Amino acid sequence: MTSLHVRALSPLDFLDRSAAVYREKIAVVDGAQRRTYSEMRARVRAFAAYLIRRGLRPGDRVAYLAPNRSALLEGHYAVPLARGILVAMNTRLTVEEIRYILAHSGATMLVYDASIDDFVSRLAPSVACVRVDHDAATLAVADAADYETILRTTPPLAAYERETDEDATIAINYTSGTTGKPKGVMYAFRGAYQNALAETFHANLRPESVYLWTLPMFHCNGWCYPWAVTAAGATHVCLPKVEAERIFALVAAEGVTHLCAAPTVLVMLANDPAAAPFARPLHAITAGAPPAPTTIARFEALNATITHVYGLTETYGPVTVCAWQSALWDDLAPNVRAGRKSRQGVPFVTVGADDVRVVDGELADVPADGTTHGEIVVRGNNVMKGYYADPEATERAFAGGFFHTGDIAVRHADGYIEIVDRAKDVIISGGENISTVQVESILMQHDAVAEVAVVASPDAKWGEVPKAFVTLKAGRALETGELIAFARERLPGFKVPKAVVFGELPKTSTGKIQKFLLREREWAGHEKRVQ
């Protein structure tokens, strides 16, 4: 007998529901384009029909390379609707990194935005391409199909085969390559559904909410907000480029109520000379290195509130939230209140109370004393299926039955966790992860470099940026600008060291470079906040 009480969880249901309940409500604002939920569903079903007619098979990967525009939002529904797997790629990566991801994922199609025509020309993809634009500019890839033409000429699916396995892969998100090559993090339909509802709950999204896309949709599928905002029947406002003037203008014109952003975006807005209080309350959700108390106070003075969350690509984005307790904390002094906001907090509502732990090397919980260090480990609905085509890395990541984050934290007496350091030397600059190992390996390719160590250095705009300490080979000379130019040719701009110091590196008696001493020198006198 069929189990009528069981229905596989799928975030695609959110669009069907909102298109039925809020059919004439504005779902998407993208520049001059304003589309209702009914129109959004029709566009999604048309592109899904195109993918099927092109021969997309269940499990085939479809890659996207685009800023925060409606096509990428639609792709979060159209690709899985056609039984494909979405691979949304970071537009800030190099040609070589994008080529690697396309090859590793085995993508059969690339959907790209016209704004990166030059990049795609250099990429010269060997897979089928679809170009997204609203004008008649020359296609960067000669045989690329035009997205809007496809939607106009392809009848939408009248019905579709619903995914019945909620553990099927809905998306693959590639890490920033913090331990070598980027790894493909597999998200399941179930996890995407659960996390989307958790985001809706913790952000208090409602049908009258208006969400501004300041967070890249390619980053952890935009923390599952492509599905969360739709689940609430709220409005998506697309933002292809993060600029303070544009953000203030859209907040005012569209009545924006919510946004997610790296702390550097909040700093940019709080410190903008034209900053003025928002006409209606704005709720900002931030992750990464939390803003300093002065930034929190300055931003919240704009008629805004900040909620701090924590997570990784492997946890669908946020997995914990600094759940605010008004009765206990509202009347605290501003600096103390800001300190409470900066903690990583407690598990999401869809994550078990015992599924986010701080443990020692034996996987035993550390005391909740606010001082004993341990590693954050996670299991449950918010954890990836594993790394695509990399069973060995998956097994290592889940040693002992929990996902190991590599982040070192304490647990306070009230149960809230707070990160105090990173087990790995990952730099988080403007919300982007930078592997010091990767940068060091590039600098070591210069024939004048003997040794190198890269650490995070404080930066007023980005929070922290990479700084290189270099020992040259005997008898060799090298200028700072020359080495930075060398790195810029081989790395994305945000990974290039912003400064170089030449000299001997501190080492242990066994010859190991003591990077922690370099970090301590860099951060002396600065308030270092770590994800």
Side-chain angles (χ1 to χ4, degrees), residues 385-472:
K385 294 176 59 177
Y387 295 116
Y388 180 71
D390 197 341
E392 293 81 9
T394 300
E395 184 177 0
R396 289 193 301 271
F398 284 102
F402 280 80
F403 171 70
H404 291 254
T405 68
D407 288 319
I408 305 303
V410 299
R411 185 180 292 277
H412 292 278
D414 60 5
Y416 283 57
I417 63 173
E418 181 176 8
I419 291 178
V420 296
D421 202 351
R422 283 193 290 272
K424 299 175 182 177
D425 299 315
V426 178
I427 299 169
I428 302 179
S429 183
E432 295 281 359
N433 285 6
I434 302 172
S435 166
T436 57
V437 174
Q438 180 191 22
V439 180
E440 288 162 358
S441 67
I442 292 296
L443 298 181
M444 284 294 294
Q445 293 177 15
H446 196 289
D447 61 3
V449 173
E451 291 181 309
V452 61
V454 174
V455 301
S457 181
D459 183 84
K461 181 178 181 181
W462 301 110
E464 54 187 36
V465 294
K467 182 173 182 177
F469 293 82
V470 177
T471 299
L472 297 176

Side-chain angles (χ1 to χ4, degrees), residues 223-248:
W223 295 355
C224 295
Y225 273 79
W227 302 303
V229 175
T230 302
T235 299
H236 300 264
V237 178
C238 296
L239 179 70
K241 187 175 182 180
V242 175
E243 298 171 323
E245 181 180 3
R246 184 63 177 153
I247 291 174
F248 281 120

Side-chain angles (χ1 to χ4, degrees), residues 140-192:
V141 178
D143 59 351
D146 178 69
Y147 185 75
E148 292 299 325
T149 301
I150 289 170
L151 299 189
R152 286 195 303 270
T153 58
T154 305
L157 290 173
Y160 64 94
E161 183 180 354
R162 193 176 185 278
E163 179 58 66
T164 58
D165 179 8
E166 63 183 28
D167 196 46
T169 303
I170 192 171
I172 300 175
N173 290 282
Y174 278 80
T175 65
S176 297
T178 56
T179 55
K181 292 290 187 181
K183 294 190 286 290
V185 176
M186 294 185 289
Y187 288 2
F189 276 73
R190 175 183 175 83

Side-chain angles (χ1 to χ4, degrees), residues 64-349:
Y64 275 66
L65 193 59
N68 286 348
R69 301 296 302 271
S70 56
L72 182 51
L73 174 62
E74 291 159 1
H76 279 76
Y77 293 89
V79 173
L81 187 64
R83 306 295 295 278
I85 297 173
L86 176 66
V87 182
M89 300 185 292
N90 188 337
T91 57
R92 299 178 67 184
L93 298 180
T94 64
V95 166
E96 289 72 23
E97 288 170 318
I98 293 297
R99 282 177 182 156
Y100 172 81
I101 293 173
L102 287 173
H104 185 268
S105 68
T108 59
M109 178 179 290
L110 172 64
V111 182
Y112 71 94
D113 191 84
S115 63
I116 53 174
D117 274 343
D118 291 343
F119 183 92
V120 175
S121 294
R122 289 184 284 119
L123 181 65
S126 57
V127 297
C129 291
V130 174
R131 179 179 183 270
V132 183
D133 199 8
H134 298 289
D135 58 38
T138 303
L139 296 178
V141 178
D143 59 351
D146 178 69
Y147 185 75
E148 292 299 325
T149 301
I150 289 170
L151 299 189
R152 286 195 303 270
T153 58
T154 305
L157 290 173
Y160 64 94
E161 183 180 354
R162 193 176 185 278
E163 179 58 66
T164 58
D165 179 8
E166 63 183 28
D167 196 46
T169 303
I170 192 171
I172 300 175
N173 290 282
Y174 278 80
T175 65
S176 297
T178 56
T179 55
K181 292 290 187 181
K183 294 190 286 290
V185 176
M186 294 185 289
Y187 288 2
F189 276 73
R190 175 183 175 83
Y193 181 99
Q194 296 269 14
N195 185 264
L197 288 186
E199 301 288 359
T200 304
F201 174 81
H202 290 296
N204 194 26
L205 289 169
R206 309 295 301 164
E208 59 271 18
S209 300
V210 180
Y211 180 82
L212 180 63
W213 272 105
T214 48
L215 177 77
M217 290 186 208
F218 61 66
H219 180 54
C220 310
N221 292 121
W223 295 355
C224 295
Y225 273 79
W227 302 303
V229 175
T230 302
T235 299
H236 300 264
V237 178
C238 296
L239 179 70
K241 187 175 182 180
V242 175
E243 298 171 323
E245 181 180 3
R246 184 63 177 153
I247 291 174
F248 281 120
L250 284 172
V251 169
E254 302 298 338
V256 171
T257 60
H258 291 73
L259 60 81
C260 295
T264 184
V265 175
L266 304 186
V267 171
M268 175 186 70
L269 296 175
N271 295 330
D272 189 88
F278 301 111
R280 60 190 298 182
L282 178 70
H283 186 183
I285 301 92
T286 190
T294 53
T295 300
I296 292 177
R298 194 173 298 173
F299 187 77
E300 293 197 333
L302 299 177
N303 193 22
T305 58
I306 293 175
T307 295
H308 184 221
V309 296
Y310 159 78
L312 307 91
T313 303
E314 289 88 344
T315 60
Y316 294 75
V319 68
T320 72
V321 58
C322 189
W324 193 251
Q325 303 200 33
S326 296
L328 298 176
W329 300 337
D330 276 358
D331 295 331
L332 294 175
N335 61 325
V336 179
R337 194 166 60 244
R340 289 287 191 276
K341 279 185 177 286
S342 70
R343 296 191 300 182
Q344 282 62 41
V346 293
F348 263 20
V349 68

